[in-house]
Amino acid sequence: MQPELRHLRYLLAVAEHANFTRAAEELRIAQPTLSQQIKQLEKALGVLLLDRTGRTVRLTDAGEAYAGYARRALQDLAAGERAVLDVHDLSRGRLRLAATPTFTAYLTGPLVAAFHGRHPGITVEVRELTQDHIETELLADRLDLGVAFQGGHLPGIEATALFDETLGLVVGPGHPFAGRTEPVPAEELNHHQLALLSQDFATRRHIDAYVTEHGVRPRIAVEANAVGALTEIVRHTALATVLPDAVTRDHPHLSPVPLSPALPSRGVTMLRRAAGYRSAAARAFGGLAARWAEDQVRAEPGEGQPIG
């Protein structure tokens, strides 16, 4: 018997769940059928792929080696199927995009809207993920593109620089700093309460590095896992937050306040899997994002440019 694609999918599902019953439920087949199919694969290869002796099922050494090739084979097959369906005139197709949370607040929407206006036949799937998760999903071929930050990336991830993002203090109408134009010394943060993104996010790690460097110890009154929640909290309280300056453009009730010294800017990049198939939709979206970034660089400070 020659191994078939279903055998590869079955093996990887059992390996992921470490359990035949849960794998069978995900695959929507009977558990005895799944066990039989795995045994057929093992017989065809002449080795045991799964260790069934413990409380959980795990791959043997031979199974680990084979599973790596199985994953790559299924990824390549999926890429081949997308290549066949890819229409270069962009009349139809699919784009799988992810961005870290701060970009959802000011960048993802305008970019996707501009892309949809040009290519309404392309279905766009948008996800909000942490940067680590974006890179993992790209390598697993579950995303086409990701918008994240410069820095150390996982092997196999290719990054293209887009623009530099600046961050600052953001307050609502009820905060003492509202309307202030002169920079706030960093040490003044010790006397104010903040609402920040949770520590899972790159933006929070960037802020934590800043306060540590400058010996500041503000009280963190609220932690949130969504930028939208932060902007509403700041709008209705006397709490301040730290967000990209661009977030305030579409929120007239929020005021950006400069800090002294300023928070370091961050390089924004477009991420993709280096060895992966790049669809016409992914190439078109990458080009649109690059042109928008060039427009921002040419714009006068403080002037946002429409996405052209």
Side-chain angles (χ1 to χ4, degrees):
M1 182 203 80
Q2 289 294 321
E4 299 180 12
L5 290 175
R6 70 174 184 277
H7 294 114
L8 306 186
R9 295 190 177 98
Y10 292 172
L11 175 67
L12 295 178
V14 174
E16 179 182 350
H17 291 282
N19 182 280
F20 275 94
T21 301
R22 288 195 293 272
E25 290 172 353
E26 179 189 282
L27 295 165
R28 298 185 180 180
I29 62 173
Q31 191 271 335
T33 301
L34 176 60
S35 297
Q36 181 186 34
Q37 293 289 312
I38 296 295
K39 288 178 181 178
Q40 287 180 2
L41 177 61
E42 291 176 324
K43 183 177 179 181
L45 297 174
V47 294
L48 283 176
L49 300 172
L50 295 171
D51 181 353
R52 303 164 173 82
T53 60
R55 302 178 93 182
T56 59
V57 181
R58 65 179 185 86
L59 291 168
T60 63
D61 290 343
E64 287 281 4
Y66 190 77
Y69 287 99
R71 290 188 187 95
R72 287 193 290 274
L74 292 177
Q75 287 178 0
D76 288 344
L77 178 64
E81 291 172 349
R82 290 198 303 276
V84 169
L85 296 173
D86 189 17
V87 178
H88 288 270
D89 65 4
L90 295 168
S91 60
R92 60 184 173 86
R94 188 175 190 85
L95 176 67
R96 303 167 301 171
L97 174 70
T100 57
T102 55
F103 298 125
T104 305
Y106 74 91
L107 178 63
T108 308
L111 276 177
V112 171
F115 182 80
H116 176 71
R118 289 161 174 75
H119 313 295
I122 302 294
T123 300
V124 182
E125 175 188 329
V126 182
R127 299 167 65 188
E128 183 180 278
L129 302 172
T130 62
Q131 181 151 339
D132 291 345
H133 199 177
I134 288 175
E135 295 191 15
T136 300
E137 293 293 277
L138 285 168
L139 291 174
D141 197 29
R142 289 189 285 265
L143 288 174
D144 298 307
L145 296 171
V147 184
F149 299 106
Q150 285 180 346
H153 301 295
L154 295 176
I157 295 295
E158 180 181 284
T160 302
L162 290 177
F163 62 97
D164 287 334
E165 179 188 75
T166 58
L167 295 95
L169 202 64
V170 174
V171 301
H175 196 279
F177 291 159
R180 179 167 172 167
T181 57
E182 64 273 19
V184 172
E187 57 268 22
E188 280 198 39
L189 294 179
N190 289 323
H191 309 296
H192 296 271
Q193 299 182 56
L194 300 182
L196 299 177
L197 284 171
S198 64
Q199 296 179 353
D200 297 335
F201 298 108
T203 296
R204 174 60 183 277
R205 294 193 291 271
H206 194 71
I207 298 166
D208 288 348
Y210 173 87
V211 298
T212 298
E213 178 183 357
H214 297 288
V216 181
R217 296 176 63 89
R219 183 185 165 215
I220 312 303
V222 175
E223 290 187 321
N225 66 354
V227 175
L230 281 183
T231 57
E232 286 303 299
I233 290 167
V234 170
R235 176 185 178 185
H236 292 95
T237 68
L239 298 175
T241 190
V242 178
L243 288 172
D245 294 343
V247 171
T248 62
R249 293 175 189 162
D250 296 325
H251 294 82
H253 50 274
L254 298 180
S255 303
V257 181
L259 282 169
S260 178
L263 278 96
S265 61
R266 301 184 290 179
V268 179
T269 61
M270 183 73 73
L271 304 181
R272 60 181 293 265
R273 186 162 65 103
Y277 170 73
R278 195 176 184 192
S279 69
R283 292 194 300 273
F285 188 89
L288 177 68
R291 290 192 298 274
W292 178 84
E294 290 172 0
D295 289 343
Q296 303 310 298
V297 172
R298 289 196 295 265
E300 292 295 326
E303 291 184 5
Q305 292 292 310
I307 296 176

